[in-house]
C-alpha cells in the first residue's frame, strides 16, 4: 500500500509541473504559473500526505489527499471564473463566453486527480 501511495504522491507532484492550462499566444501554464500561492498550497498538502505515508497513518494521508482533490477542484473553478472576469470588458455576454472559451484545460489535470485518487483508494484495506 505504501508504494502505491508514494506513486500517487509522485503523480501529484509531477502533475504540478505539467501543462494545466493553455492560453493562446502565451502558451501552457503549470501550477506555479497559474498562481504561486496555489502551487505552494499543493506542495504543502503533498508534504502532509508524505508525512502520513511515511508514518503509516492511512487517515492522515487520506485527509491530505482529499484536501488535494478539493484544492484541484477549487483551482479549476478559479481558472474558469478568472477567464470570464478577464474578458468582462466586452459589451456582449456571448463575446465574453467565446473569448473565455479559448483558454483550454490541458492533460496535466488528469495526472493531478489520478495521483490524489490513487492515494485515497490505496489506503483502503
Amino acid at each position: 500500500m505504501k508504494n502505491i501511495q508514494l506513486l500517487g504522491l509522485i503523480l501529484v507532484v509531477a502533475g504540478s509541473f505539467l501543462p494545466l492550462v493553455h492560453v493562446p499566444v502565451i502558451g501552457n501554464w503549470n501550477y506555479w504559473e497559474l498562481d504561486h500561492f496555489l502551487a505552494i498550497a499543493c506542495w504543502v498538502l503533498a508534504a502532509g500526505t508524505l508525512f502520513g505515508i511515511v508514518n503509516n497513518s492511512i487517515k492522515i494521508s487520506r485527509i491530505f489527499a482529499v484536501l488535494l482533490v478539493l484544492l484541484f477542484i477549487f483551482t479549476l473553478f478559479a481558472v474558469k471564473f478568472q477567464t470570464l472576469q478577464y474578458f468582462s470588458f466586452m459589451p456582449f455576454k456571448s463575446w465574453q463566453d467565446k473569448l473565455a472559451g479559448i483558454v483550454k484545460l490541458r492533460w496535466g489535470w488528469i495526472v493531478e486527480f489520478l495521483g490524489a485518487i490513487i492515494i485515497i483508494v490505496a489506503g483502503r484495506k
Side-chain angles (χ1 to χ4, degrees):
M1 298 296 175
K2 193 181 224 184
N3 293 336
I4 297 172
Q5 286 181 324
L6 284 174
L7 174 70
L9 182 64
I10 290 170
L11 286 175
V12 167
V13 173
S16 67
F17 295 105
L18 296 175
L20 300 175
V21 176
H22 178 74
V23 180
V25 180
I26 296 174
N28 293 325
W29 285 359
N30 58 18
Y31 235 128
W32 187 257
E33 292 165 335
L34 280 175
D35 188 52
H36 301 298
F37 296 113
L38 289 175
I40 291 169
C42 176
W43 296 334
V44 166
L45 291 174
T49 306
L50 180 63
F51 176 76
I53 293 170
V54 169
N55 290 327
N56 289 328
S57 177
I58 296 171
K59 187 175 183 180
I60 290 175
S61 62
R62 189 177 292 156
I63 288 171
F64 277 107
V66 168
L67 289 174
L68 278 167
V69 169
L70 292 175
L71 176 72
F72 300 152
I73 292 171
F74 170 76
T75 305
L76 286 173
F77 282 122
V79 165
K80 286 299 183 183
F81 180 75
Q82 187 65 28
T83 56
L84 287 172
Q85 289 300 319
Y86 187 74
F87 294 108
S88 64
F89 66 89
M90 295 303 246
F92 299 111
K93 181 74 173 160
S94 62
W95 291 3
Q96 291 174 10
D97 294 338
K98 190 70 153 176
L99 286 174
I102 64 174
V103 176
K104 301 289 185 193
L105 298 177
R106 303 303 282 179
W107 57 275
W109 288 111
I110 297 169
V111 176
E112 292 276 3
F113 279 107
L114 182 66
I117 290 171
I118 286 174
I119 295 169
I120 293 170
V121 172
R124 296 179 188 233
K125 294 183 179 180

